């Protein structure tokens, strides 16, 4: 039961945390006014620069590695309650599985759930990695535009 729960956590919590980590670094670089080849994500220059793409790829892979390690620690710490959650998710199929065999449960766990979750994960990651709103904010790195970008992102609010 933990396998299906781990897959669900990987495509929800880990992807969400990776998104927050990536956007957090983007905001930090904006605040520090540091021009990095890592940001904006999905923008590789004109013409596209292979080195810039490789740096962004390695940065994204390090975020994925970090979030997978974090998720692994979470699963190790909470494996017992997660096992109960997994058992309760599949409990509607228990009677069917006991009377007709485990083929349907196995098909759902090994084919349907991973396929659906992987499609969802790739779609979401592609949406926030490709060039978009943040690319437009980073593309022209002029001081006046940095200030308006900070205001747009809510980074100019005074600390009380």
């Amino acid at each position: 039961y933990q396998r299906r729960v781990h897959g669900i956590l990987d495509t929800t919590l880990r992807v969400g945390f990776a998104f927050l980590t990536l956007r957090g670094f983007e905001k930090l670089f904006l605040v520090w006014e540091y021009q990095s080849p890592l940001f904006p994500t999905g923008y590789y220059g004109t013409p596209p620069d292979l080195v810039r793409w490789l740096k962004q790829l390695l940065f994204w892979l390090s975020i994925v590695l970090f979030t997978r390690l974090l998720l692994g620690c979470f699963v190790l710490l909470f494996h017992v309650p997660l096992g109960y959650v997994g058992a309760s998710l599949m409990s509607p199929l228990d009677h069917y599985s006991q009377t007709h065999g485990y083929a349907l449960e196995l098909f759902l766990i090994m084919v349907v759930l991973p396929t659906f979750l992987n499609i969802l994960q790739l779609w979401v990651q592609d949406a926030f990695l490709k060039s978009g709103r943040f690319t437009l904010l980073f593309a022209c790195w002029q001081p006046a535009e940095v200030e308006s970008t900070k205001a747009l992102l809510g980074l100019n609010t005074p600390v009380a």
Side-chain angles (χ1 to χ4, degrees):
Y1 294 118
Q2 291 173 352
R3 180 177 169 87
R4 73 185 70 96
V5 173
H6 188 268
I8 292 169
L9 289 175
D10 186 57
T11 55
T12 54
L13 285 179
R14 190 196 60 75
V15 171
F17 187 65
F19 170 77
L20 292 175
T21 304
L22 185 66
R23 291 303 182 238
F25 274 106
E26 285 185 345
K27 283 189 175 187
L28 275 176
F29 285 171
L30 267 178
V31 169
W32 293 340
E33 297 179 15
Y34 176 70
Q35 197 167 6
S36 170
L38 299 175
F39 299 108
T41 58
Y43 177 74
Y44 311 115
T46 307
D49 181 11
L50 179 63
V51 173
R52 186 179 188 129
W53 177 81
L54 281 172
K55 287 179 181 179
Q56 287 186 19
L57 175 65
L58 291 174
F59 185 70
W60 174 246
L61 291 176
S62 66
I63 288 176
V64 169
L65 178 64
F66 172 71
T67 55
R68 285 194 185 268
L69 289 172
L70 197 64
L71 182 66
C73 292
F74 178 81
V75 169
L76 284 175
L77 288 173
F78 298 103
H79 70 279
V80 173
L82 290 174
Y84 289 125
V85 169
S88 66
L89 286 175
M90 294 307 287
S91 63
L93 293 177
D94 283 346
H95 177 69
Y96 182 87
S97 296
Q98 291 171 357
T99 57
H100 294 88
Y102 292 94
L104 177 64
E105 186 176 353
L106 187 63
F107 179 72
L108 286 174
I109 293 170
M110 299 303 286
V111 177
V112 174
L113 191 63
T115 301
F116 172 73
L117 291 176
N118 283 332
I119 289 170
L120 180 68
Q121 180 179 18
L122 292 173
W123 176 50
V124 169
Q125 287 179 159
D126 180 60
F128 67 77
L129 283 175
K130 67 182 177 181
S131 181
R133 183 183 121 196
F134 279 82
T135 298
L136 295 175
L137 297 176
F138 277 91
C140 298
W141 204 277
Q142 303 299 322
E145 292 169 344
V146 169
E147 290 306 314
S148 64
T149 300
K150 286 181 183 179
L152 180 65
L153 294 175
L155 301 173
N156 278 346
T157 54
V159 178

